[in-house]
Amino acid sequence: MEPYDYTRSTPKKDSDKKSYFIAALVVMAGLVAVLGFLYFKERNERETLSSRSVVQKREILKANTKLDSIATQLDAKIAEIRMLGGNIDELMQLKTQLEIDKQRLVNATADEIKKFEAKLEQYKDLLKQKDRDIVRLKEENGSLTTQNQELATSNEGLKTELNSARQAYDDSVNALKVNNKELNDRISVAAALKAQNVMVYAINSKGKEREKIKADKIDQIRIAFGLGDNTLTERNGKEIFVRVLDPTGAVISDMATGSGTFMYQSKEMIYTVKKDITYQGNNQQVDVIYKRNIPFKKGKHTIELYAEGVKIGDGIFEVRSGLF
């Protein structure tokens, strides 16, 4: 009997090891792909969270406006049906339910707002039914014309209730307008550009820059600043208005060198120089060059920066000496 040759199994073992190694690489590649997918999905969810909350607030505001309109109509119908001698129990229950819905709407989710829209349609259908009930009640009590005349001449209580309902509606609309303006203002401020590290450098006639500014050696100034990254700010073209104020507080301007006016808080303001940029949201640096034909006054000057109706930053520089 020949002895067993143990070396015959060596090629099979090497092949098995290679197969295990390839299988392990395939598993690791799959894990990396899954983890990468989860990472980008989470990042996209974070990026849309802030804009989603703004949209949700606006949807809540619109739903609340519709609810207030229904409540005002409901008050008027309660008063009219009471005057006609009809049953208002169902309407009073609906009025209580409306107050509960207004409280729930404050913290409603997006799904709850959609469901609430369907509920609003039910309320509208019920109000239409009450309109038919009012017509029937008027027919039972006499002609519509006679009843309208009696309503205008003999029931001061109804007139008071209707006036109160109209006043409540006007107050509600005015309050909603104020709240809507405040919300838009907060959104504008949150999405505004933010100027950081505002610096001013003097440039002489030879093109050399100095941080220490002397009036008799200034040909032009360079205003440099960074724009912080803000996910709420749209990536598009922006106009940045620069105001340079002298030590007396007067705006330095010259229409011949690019100065002009812009609107800020419903007021027209003069700017010294304007810069057009494309906002990229990557902490970009911005340089604004301003050349003045007459010397700067001695003392501290103020820099103010504005964009899209919002003040986005400021800075100061001091002229050490000069002709003035």
Side-chain angles (χ1 to χ4, degrees), residues 56-72:
Q56 186 170 326
K57 288 179 181 178
R58 288 179 173 173
E59 292 300 319
I60 290 175
L61 182 62
K62 289 194 294 186
N64 198 46
T65 302
K66 295 177 181 179
L67 193 61
D68 284 337
S69 176
I70 290 175
T72 300

Side-chain angles (χ1 to χ4, degrees), residues 239-258:
E239 284 185 326
I240 299 180
F241 300 98
V242 181
R243 282 165 50 95
V244 181
L245 283 66
D246 68 17
T248 67
V251 179
I252 297 174
S253 63
D254 185 351
M255 301 301 174
T257 59

Side-chain angles (χ1 to χ4, degrees), residues 9 29 51 61 93 104 107 151 153 158 182-183 186 190 215 220-221 225 245 274 289 293 315 318:
S9 62
S51 61
L61 182 62
Q93 293 175 2
R104 291 176 177 172
N107 298 313
L151 176 65
T153 58
L158 174 61
E182 291 177 351
L183 177 60
R186 287 196 294 269
Q220 53 190 354
I221 60 173
F225 54 91
L245 283 66
K274 181 180 70 170
I289 303 298
N293 295 326
E318 184 172 1

